[in-house]
Amino acid sequence: MILRSATRPVAHAMSPIICTVDIVLLTLQRGMLHVALLKRDHAPFAGVLALPGGYVHAAEDADARDAAERTLREKTGIVSPYLEQLATFSGLARDPRGWSLSVTYYALVPDDVIAAANRPEVVLVAIDKLRGLPFDHQQIIATAVQRVRDKSAYSSLPVYLCGKCFTLPQLQSVYEAILGEPINKVSFRRKIDELDILEPIEGALEAGKAHRPAQMYRLKPRYGQHLSLTNRALNARS
């Protein structure tokens, strides 16, 4: 005879955990950070602007990064040269459909890359103008922006917001836009020398300016998908 314990816990049916990836795609327009959003085409929050994201495809995606690259490509038409994992956001309260987790990533691209993708459904919104985002997307974006600002102080990260060629003053203005403060020119040039990420484009000078034409630079090939780091943070007083 088999005895059954009266205190044995009763199994309850559990809803599957929702597993997604979300991407914070950042660019600069008019000297301000903007994020790429799309209108959701289904419930919940149908018609509301949200981060490009989607389910992980277990049979197709090798890992979360693979899922993020695929999702970004499918939703925006963009293959970013720099994509970094940000954090995992999870819990019961973040999605009305049930317990969910999202492995989030951030990417930086020049605004002409977004324009060239020719996806009119992609909407660029200034970071300080974000309102009414669904789920916890406001928190995800805020976390990504803070990560970019912190990392920009000691790395080559902002260069991914530049085009294929640029002047040093143009690059400095990108750093200043991200850090939110002016940077001493001498200090900036010293930091760029330490990072050792740029090579001059022979014979290429900035045209159409009243002042002396500036030398054009490009990113060294080995830094196409990798950052260069310095030991000291870059700021207006360094």
Side-chain angles (χ1 to χ4, degrees), residues 19-128:
C19 184
T20 63
V21 290
D22 289 293
I23 302 95
V24 182
L25 180 63
L26 296 169
T27 192
L28 273 181
Q29 281 195 338
R30 298 177 297 279
M32 296 182 294
L33 272 176
H34 285 62
V35 63
L37 303 174
L38 301 107
K39 284 187 178 180
R40 288 180 55 82
D41 57 8
H42 58 274
F45 307 110
V48 176
L49 288 174
L51 291 171
Y55 291 104
V56 173
H57 295 176
E60 180 181 354
D61 302 323
D63 50 30
R65 181 185 178 87
D66 204 28
E69 291 176 344
R70 173 186 54 76
T71 299
L72 183 62
R73 183 176 63 252
E74 292 176 353
K75 295 292 181 71
T76 69
I78 291 171
V79 177
S80 176
Y82 188 81
L83 184 71
E84 181 179 327
Q85 188 173 132
L86 177 64
T88 298
F89 293 79
S90 62
L92 179 61
R94 63 181 304 270
D95 192 321
R97 293 169 294 185
W99 209 102
S100 70
L101 69 86
S102 175
V103 184
T104 62
Y105 288 77
Y106 71 94
L108 286 75
V109 295
D111 63 345
D112 59 354
V113 170
I114 296 178
N118 195 26
R119 294 289 185 92
E121 66 271 24
V122 175
V123 179
L124 295 179
V125 180
I127 295 300
D128 60 356

Side-chain angles (χ1 to χ4, degrees), residues 144-215:
V145 170
Q146 191 59 53
R147 171 75 64 83
V148 168
R149 285 176 174 157
D150 291 344
K151 208 157 192 174
S152 295
Y154 63 88
S155 80
S156 59
L157 183 61
V159 77
Y160 295 104
L161 291 171
C162 298
K164 291 183 178 180
C165 57
F166 45 85
T167 66
L168 287 178
Q170 288 170 345
L171 179 58
Q172 181 172 339
S173 69
V174 170
Y175 270 85
E176 291 174 336
I178 293 175
L179 297 175
E181 63 177 0
I183 302 170
N184 176 271
K185 179 180 177 180
V186 175
S187 171
F188 177 76
R189 299 294 174 93
R190 184 171 62 246
K191 286 291 185 183
I192 294 302
D193 287 342
E194 291 175 8
L195 289 170
D196 192 31
I197 56 172
L198 303 181
E199 60 184 17
I201 304 174
E202 187 176 353
L205 300 174
E206 184 183 25
K209 299 293 183 180
H211 53 73
R212 181 180 176 184
Q215 174 68 50

